[in-house]
Amino acid sequence: MLELRAVRHRYEGRVVLDLEQFTLPRTGSVAVVGHNGAGKSTLLHLLALLEAPTEGRIIFDGTPVPRRAPASLRRRVTLVEQRPILFRGTVRENLEYGLRLRDVGRAAVNGIIGDVVDRLGLAPLLDRRRHELSDGEVQRVAVARALVLRTDVLLLDEPASSADRAAAGALYRALALERAARPLAVCIASHQLEDAYRWADDIRSLADGRLSPVTPENLFRVDLPPGDGVKHVPVGGIAIVVMTDRSGPVVLAVPRPTSSSVASECRHPHATCSWDA
């Protein structure tokens, strides 16, 4: 449904996203995981058609998107930022705003909002204003405001970062119910692996703007010593053997080993383990 092809995106000359291909299926639920600065938010901005890539193309339903995306396409995608901004007024008025812009009638507005409010447990908050809400409640309201629009694509940037476990569970259950009720593509950027594994159909890992073959539990930020050839890199209490000519700060991706062995005693005080995968 929504696809990035041969995309390379730069800010002030620095490459922040470098993707040969990234596809969001029509009814898929994709989690993009990675460390801070990996490029997750930039990826969501491109998918939301808020920015055009420096190089490459965005494809929507098989058709290339112009560099200035038409409003008709942008209305089919909703992005909820990590720190969303609510409009002036009450929570109810925030939820009604987008529907009124689309000329939805009062009865339909009440029905749509009522369903989402029930799913996310927002009824006690409907008459409150922004300054009366916690950060976690603001996030839930912003997600509800996006859900009531019933767009084809929903993009969420760390939607549960300020939520407690109960609120996060309610959010993910609401997303599951919405996907069961109609065709909806969802892409969530998160560093919370537990949530990603629980709800997503597909987990993709970003590291330094590129898709990584391993998920973040096997990604390590390290400083490589200068020189070519074999290097021993300390990670926690172990040392990983790396063969590279790179040096300085890098993200080291360690694939799952195809085999391993365990020694009952250390035969050398500086012994290390290495593997190929």
Side-chain angles (χ1 to χ4, degrees):
M1 178 180 192
L2 192 53
E3 182 180 357
L4 306 183
R5 293 183 187 173
V7 161
R8 180 172 289 182
H9 197 53
R10 296 182 177 89
Y11 290 140
E12 299 180 350
R14 183 174 64 91
V15 176
V16 294
L17 204 63
D18 190 354
L19 300 174
E20 187 61 32
Q21 185 177 39
F22 185 97
T23 302
L24 182 58
R26 183 175 301 277
T27 58
S29 58
V30 175
V32 179
V33 294
H35 299 291
N36 290 336
K40 303 187 300 295
S41 295
T42 300
L43 171 62
L44 292 187
H45 278 215
L46 294 183
L47 293 173
L49 309 180
L50 297 177
E51 300 180 41
T54 310
E55 300 175 23
R57 296 185 298 169
I58 302 177
I59 311 296
F60 203 139
D61 278 347
T63 302
V65 177
R67 291 196 62 80
R68 186 180 179 87
S72 59
L73 285 183
R74 293 200 306 272
R75 289 194 192 101
R76 297 176 61 187
V77 185
T78 304
L79 168 64
V80 178
E81 302 274 12
Q82 181 176 358
R83 294 178 178 84
I85 297 174
L86 298 187
F87 306 129
R88 291 182 180 180
T90 64
V91 168
R92 182 188 297 276
E93 290 167 341
N94 267 267
L95 300 182
E96 292 175 347
Y97 181 78
L99 295 174
R100 299 217 175 279
L101 288 181
R102 288 163 169 76
D103 295 323
V104 178
R106 165 61 70 178
V109 166
N110 290 338
I112 294 170
I113 288 176
D115 288 343
V116 175
V117 164
D118 289 343
R119 292 176 186 176
L120 288 171
L122 295 178
L125 308 181
L126 286 177
D127 295 323
R128 294 188 192 178
R129 298 176 181 270
R130 168 63 183 91
H131 68 277
E132 300 174 297
L133 303 174
S134 68
D135 289 344
E137 288 168 341
V138 168
Q139 283 186 317
R140 275 195 291 157
V141 172
V143 172
R145 186 174 61 185
L147 283 175
V148 299
L149 297 178
R150 295 184 172 176
T151 53
D152 298 325
V153 180
L154 178 61
L155 310 171
L156 304 170
D157 195 352
E158 303 282 0
S161 60
S162 298
D164 58 28
R165 296 308 304 169
L171 184 150
Y172 291 122
R173 285 192 296 273
L175 291 178
L177 288 171
E178 190 72 15
R179 291 182 61 228
R182 64 183 182 90
L184 174 65
V186 181
C187 183
I188 292 184
S190 178
H191 64 273
Q192 298 175 336
L193 286 176
E194 181 181 351
D195 289 340
Y197 281 121
R198 180 178 296 120
W199 78 268
D201 299 331
D202 185 2
I203 298 175
R204 304 175 196 176
S205 180
L206 272 184
D208 290 342
R210 295 177 173 85
L211 286 175
S212 169
V214 299
T215 46
E217 65 266 34
N218 289 333
L219 294 176
F220 305 95
R221 291 191 180 275
V222 300
D223 283 304
L224 294 177
D228 299 339
V230 176
K231 302 177 182 182
H232 296 76
V233 183
V235 177
I238 66 171
I240 298 177
V241 177
V242 181
M243 181 172 289
T244 181
D245 58 0
R246 296 185 60 180
S247 61
V250 299
V251 175
L252 183 64
V254 181
R256 180 179 298 176
T258 55
S259 63
S260 61
S261 61
V262 178
S264 59
E265 61 182 8
C266 184
R267 299 179 180 178
H268 190 280
H270 300 292
T272 60
C273 295
S274 63
W275 55 76
D276 296 319

